[in-house]
Amino acid sequence: MKKLMMVLVLSSMAVSAWALTSGEEAFKVAEKPLIVSHRGSRAEVDDNAAEGFAKCLAAGVRGFETDVRLTKDNELVIMHDKDVARTTKGTGDIHAMTLAEVTALELKKTGYKVPSVQRVMDVFKGRKDLRVEFEMKESTKALGKERGEIYCRKLYDMAVKTMEPGSYVFTSFSVETLTTMKTLFPDAPIGLICGNPCTKEQVDKAVSLNCCGIAPLIKGTTKEMVDYAHEKGLCVSLWMVQDLETYKLSRSLGADTNTSDHPMRLLKEATGK
C-alpha cells in the first residue's frame, strides 16, 4: 500500500519534494542538489553544536547531518568521535561517561555545550521542510545485542516523537547497525554511507538492505553510477562538497544532496544571495 506525501521545501536554494513510500523516504529534489550542513556547519560554527544547526536553519539551510553516540547510561548524545578530546575541552571515552558528564563538556571553538540528541531534534521540531540525517556512529555488533537494540530503539522513538514524518533518515557506514534498525522498525528510513566513490556493488547492497538512499564520496563518482542509483530508487547524497566548483560538479552528476562543512557560505555562493 503506497502513500505519497509531498512536502514543499522553501528555502533560498530551491523547492524540493519528499515522497514517502511504505514508510520509507525516497527523496527527490526538483532543483538539486540540496546543501546539507555537515555536523551543524563545523567549519563555520563548531563540531555538532546545537547552536550551529540553529544558525544554519536561520540562514536558509534545509539539509542537516549529525552523529549519534550512546553513553554509559544508555542515553543518546551528539558526538562524532568516541573520544571527546578532539572536539571538546574535556577527555574521556563516551562509552565510559554518563549523559550528564558528556553534555557538561564545552566544545573547543565556541564554548557551546555538547548537546543531547533530544536537544538537536528540538531545533527541528515542527519543521516539515527539512532533510535531517542522523548518522548512527555506533556499531550494534560492537555494542552487543541488548545495547545495540537500545541504541536503535531510543533513536527511532525519539525521532518519531519529535520530528515530522519524512523529515529525517537514519544513516550509517555499518551494515550491522542498519540491519538492526530495519529489523526492529521495518518502516525506518535508512541510508548507507560509503567511504569511496559510488559503485554498482554498493548500490545493490543499499537496495538489499531496503535503504532509501546512498552516500558515496563525490571524488570518483560518475554520472552513470548516480543514474544507476536513481534507477534503483535511491536518493544520492555526495560528500564532501566544500566549494562552489565542487557543488557545480555535484549538480552535473545529478546528485540529490551534497554535504558541506561550509553550508552557509556555499548557499550564498550557489544562489548569489
Side-chain angles (χ1 to χ4, degrees), residues 188-199:
I190 63 171
L192 177 65
I193 308 174
C194 309
N196 44 22
C198 190
T199 65

Side-chain angles (χ1 to χ4, degrees), residues 9-64:
V9 179
L10 302 178
S11 73
S12 54
M13 264 303 298
V15 178
S16 57
W18 299 73
L20 206 61
T21 306
S22 300
E24 292 184 6
E25 291 174 310
F27 186 58
K28 305 298 178 185
V29 186
E31 295 283 341
K32 55 190 180 184
L34 181 75
I35 295 172
V36 174
S37 169
H38 188 225
R39 304 184 208 168
S41 189
R42 70 183 188 128
E44 297 171 313
V45 185
D46 214 328
D47 201 297
N48 275 320
E51 293 83 355
F53 292 103
K55 288 181 180 181
C56 287
L57 187 61
V61 177
R62 294 295 177 262
F64 303 89

Side-chain angles (χ1 to χ4, degrees), residues 57 62 76 78 151 194 196 207 250:
L57 187 61
R62 294 295 177 262
L76 302 181
I78 297 295
Y151 177 63
C194 309
N196 44 22
V207 171
S250 179

